């Protein structure tokens, strides 16, 4: 098991799923569901408010994402399995996971993401002088 990202050409998820109609429909559905919650959208990394156009969704779990025998993608992620992030914060999160042997190889995707997200928040708070 590995949580490290693979080169774009070597990973169907990044080269096909994230460009599929299924993903764009699920992404739109996630933001529609989120709009029903009273909390405004914000990046899970830095905590800054953001609009749908400014955010990407990080997957905590891929269990409900799969490709059918005829090559179509199915995206049935649970609402809580997707985390909104600015592209920059999202990239930093993946770098934390990729560069840590324990997170990249010896943790579930969800656990690695949650641990890295906490570390990212601490680092960003320290940089902004808002550490508590």
């Amino acid at each position: 098991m590995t949580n490290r990202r693979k080169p774009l050409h070597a990973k169907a998820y990044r080269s096909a799923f994230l460009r599929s109609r299924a993903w764009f429909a699920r992404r739109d559905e996630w933001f529609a569901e989120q709009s029903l919650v009273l909390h405004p959208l914000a990046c899970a990394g830095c905590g800054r408010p953001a609009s749908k156009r400014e955010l990407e969704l990080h997957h905590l779990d891929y269990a409900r994402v799969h490709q059918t025998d005829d090559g179509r993608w199915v995206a049935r992620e649970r609402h809580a399995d997707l985390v909104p992030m600015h592209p920059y914060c999202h990239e930093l999160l993946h770098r934390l996971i990729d560069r840590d042997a324990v997170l990249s190889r010896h943790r579930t995707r969800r656990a690695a993401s949650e641990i890295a997200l906490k570390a990212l928040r601490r680092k960003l708070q320290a940089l902004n002088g808002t550490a508590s």
Side-chain angles (χ1 to χ4, degrees), residues 30-130:
W30 188 92
F31 281 107
E33 289 175 31
Q34 190 62 30
S35 70
L36 300 175
V37 179
L38 298 177
H39 304 290
L41 287 173
C43 175
C46 66
R48 292 187 180 131
S51 69
K52 171 184 171 180
R53 290 179 27 197
E54 297 171 306
L55 295 169
E56 298 177 347
L57 294 176
H58 175 75
H59 282 81
L60 295 178
D61 193 332
Y62 294 113
R64 297 174 59 105
V65 174
H66 65 275
Q67 199 169 18
T68 62
D69 291 338
D70 63 358
R72 288 181 298 116
W73 286 95
V74 176
R76 293 194 180 119
E77 302 93 331
R78 291 184 177 101
H79 188 79
D81 289 341
L82 299 169
V83 178
M85 300 188 77
H86 288 117
Y88 178 73
C89 295
H90 194 184
E91 179 62 26
L92 290 175
L93 180 72
H94 279 283
R95 287 183 186 185
L96 286 171
I97 293 169
D98 291 349
R99 292 179 181 169
D100 185 298
V102 173
L103 295 181
S104 66
R105 294 187 193 99
H106 303 293
R107 295 284 189 265
T108 65
R109 169 87 178 170
R110 179 178 300 282
S113 293
E114 290 171 351
I115 292 166
L117 192 53
K118 286 178 186 175
L120 177 61
R121 287 180 187 136
R122 282 192 310 270
K123 289 177 186 232
L124 291 175
Q125 287 174 344
L127 283 173
N128 294 323
T130 59

